[in-house]
Amino acid sequence: MTGASTGQGTPVREGTPSAFAFEVGTLGVLLCWAVVFADIGTSVYYTPGILFQRFGTHSALFVDLVFIVFVLLALKYAEVAIRFPEGGGVVSVATKAFHPIVGLVGGLLILADYFLTAGISATSGVIYLSVLLGPLKLFVIVAAIAALLLLGLLNFIGIATSAEITAVFAIAAAVTQLAVVIAVIVAFGPSRILADFGEMFAGPRLTPTDAMVGFAGAFLAFSGLESIAQLAPAMKSPRSRIAPRTMFWVVLTLLVTSPLLTLWSTTLLAPGANTNQAISLLGGAAAGPWLQDAVAASGALLLIFACNTALIGSYHVFLALSRMRFLPTILQRMNTWRGTPHVSIAVATLVPVLVVLLTGANTTSLGDLYAFGLLGAFSVTCVSLDVIRWREMRAPRLAKPTVRTSLPIFVLGAATSVAVVAAWVTNLFAKPFATVYGSALVLIGLGVAFLTIRIQTRRGQYPVFPWLHWPGQPTVITRAKRGLGRAPVLAFLPSDPGRVADVVRRTLARASQGPVVFAFQGETPHTRAPGLLEILNPYADDPAAQGAFQLAAAAARRARVRARYVYIPAGADEDVDDWVRHQLRPEEVITG
């Protein structure tokens, strides 16, 4: 990254002292790859079995088709990680593109995704472990629930997952998966391998409906992609290099494993083989028991680790939505013994336990439920990023952006969105049980958010959702349904609480109809290294800013003046005020 110029032409570089102070991420390409692969790479252990039960040897064909869309999705998610250093993924991008309520819906969709990730990973982990411990196959439900409860307890105690440990298991799983690929090629020979590619097109003729349902279902093979956006706060700088390189290696790793393993596990195994242990059995058929056991052990460990990662992601989303004042503050409560958010951890653990119980630890049912949140989060993220790109293309070039958007990139991104949304809509009709589950979860979440906001409003605490202002990102949304727009009055609120009321009064007197923009620059930098999948919102940690915006919001409501809010995290360049002025182009600027 070459830097983004401020209003005075001073460059602001990611990761330098002049950049925002919480840029203290420590994860490079290898560790980011490990965390993302530990999430996506687990899908190959259960997806072939789920697809095979309905589509037989056509399963690999659908995985190959979706792989093309996956590559384009990877590019979009890498961009989300670059654009939103605070993390949050779908929550952040949907909030900026549309409205905080859409961000809330995105958060609820990702929660539905995480719940099923935990449930299906725990179940599949136990199933693969039963290759080594045969009697365990009789107690899959009990063992999966026990694994979830144990992981929840470990998170409560505060034994956190580190990226370094994740890397060990991710590398072990990647090596054993690659070993299976090599072993199959050596054992079955080139002629048999080439013949198997034709098997993708053999079997019963696919109807257009079957083709769409298969295409939609194959997205399960690449679940976990959203974790790259959640890693943004923990990435080393510059993210504009780390994120794309991470996704390059993730895509390359999956290219040589997932499509081939799906093909061979659905064509080479003997009839009647346990498709839920397909990769392990494939290794055994190609190289003998030693590879079968190695795949089972590494796969089980990676699946359990993915389950834990999903639990961590879930309770961090709970914390983020609570700090945005959508969900009750009880979710932020920390226990005095270990200093962990025990309420959020409990909810994040108990929901997957309930899902495993209701589905009887059936991987097909869990996979069907998984599709709603997975494709829903993909769809909201893709469409939101398209909207942001479109606005930037139409906006004046006021600064050198972190990510440039050209017309070909926009068109390619829009085509990706069409493919993902089509898959989601297909699943809504093809898998009604999943639609009921996902819709119920989203509606319950929206209901809780409505009641939470209602209670806060009655107490005089008005919901304020400021736009975070980052260097190199010139779009500041000042109206709910528009991008850059001229703001007649821009007011910089002081950090001194005693002076805020006077600035607000003078501002509202100048803007009888609005819109007016209130801006606040934080003074206390965030210097603590972010945890794995933690979502950092500097505004949520700034009580002075919250108090100032609350006062401004209450006054604006009484005066019936439309107001928007911009929060500038501590550690910004000295010329950031001029930068904001250039973006919003106000007719008048009021300061304290």
Side-chain angles (χ1 to χ4, degrees), residues 179-445:
V180 173
V181 172
I182 296 173
V184 169
I185 294 174
V186 172
F188 291 92
S191 59
R192 175 65 188 274
I193 297 302
L194 291 175
D196 278 333
F197 282 97
E199 292 293 320
M200 292 190 296
F201 304 95
R205 184 176 181 180
L206 293 171
T207 66
T209 301
D210 289 335
M212 282 300 300
V213 173
F215 174 75
F219 274 88
L220 188 63
F222 306 101
S223 58
L225 177 60
E226 63 281 350
S227 57
I228 184 66
Q230 308 290 2
L231 283 176
M235 282 184 188
K236 285 183 178 179
S237 294
R239 293 177 182 85
S240 53
R241 293 180 184 176
I242 300 297
R245 291 179 182 179
T246 297
M247 295 317 299
F248 170 80
W249 289 109
V250 169
V251 169
L252 185 62
T253 307
L254 292 178
L255 176 63
V256 297
T257 55
S258 184
L260 293 176
L261 292 176
T262 301
L263 170 65
W264 294 332
S265 63
T266 55
T267 58
L268 294 179
L269 291 180
N274 187 346
T275 55
N276 291 321
Q277 299 171 335
I279 307 304
S280 180
L281 298 179
L282 185 63
W290 70 270
L291 185 55
Q292 176 174 299
D293 292 346
V295 172
S298 61
L301 288 172
L302 190 66
L303 284 160
I304 297 300
F305 238 71
C307 176
N308 192 45
T309 301
L311 294 181
I312 295 172
S314 296
Y315 74 72
H316 278 311
V317 172
F318 277 130
L319 292 173
L321 294 179
S322 177
R323 294 165 77 191
M324 291 175 71
R325 303 197 176 189
F326 279 131
L327 299 182
T329 56
I330 190 175
L331 291 170
Q332 302 176 45
R333 187 170 296 175
M334 300 284 182
N335 67 78
T336 56
W337 178 45
R338 302 297 298 178
T340 53
H342 57 282
V343 177
S344 290
I345 291 173
V347 177
T349 303
L350 293 178
V351 174
V353 167
L354 182 61
V355 170
V356 170
L357 278 173
L358 291 177
T359 59
N362 183 287
T363 55
T364 301
S365 299
L366 288 167
D368 287 346
L369 294 179
Y370 201 165
F372 182 92
L374 173 69
L375 287 170
F378 279 175
S379 298
V380 174
T381 300
C382 284
V383 173
S384 298
L385 185 58
D386 290 338
V387 169
I388 292 174
R389 286 173 169 179
W390 177 252
R391 287 172 177 163
E392 289 184 353
M393 288 172 59
R394 299 180 62 193
R397 294 279 181 169
L398 300 177
K400 188 175 182 179
T402 304
V403 180
R404 290 188 179 276
T405 300
S406 62
L407 183 59
I409 291 176
F410 173 79
V411 172
L412 196 61
T416 306
S417 299
V418 170
V420 174
V421 172
W424 190 33
V425 172
T426 300
N427 264 292
L428 294 180
F429 292 97
K431 300 175 180 177
F433 185 42
T435 302
V436 171
Y437 155 77
S439 300
L441 191 148
V442 171
L443 290 174
I444 290 172

Side-chain angles (χ1 to χ4, degrees), residues 447-472:
V448 172
F450 173 80
L451 291 176
T452 302
I453 293 174
R454 189 72 178 269
I455 292 172
Q456 292 173 349
T457 302
R458 288 182 176 179
R459 295 173 179 174
Q461 299 173 347
Y462 298 102
V464 175
F465 306 102
W467 307 107
L468 294 180
H469 179 87
W470 302 110

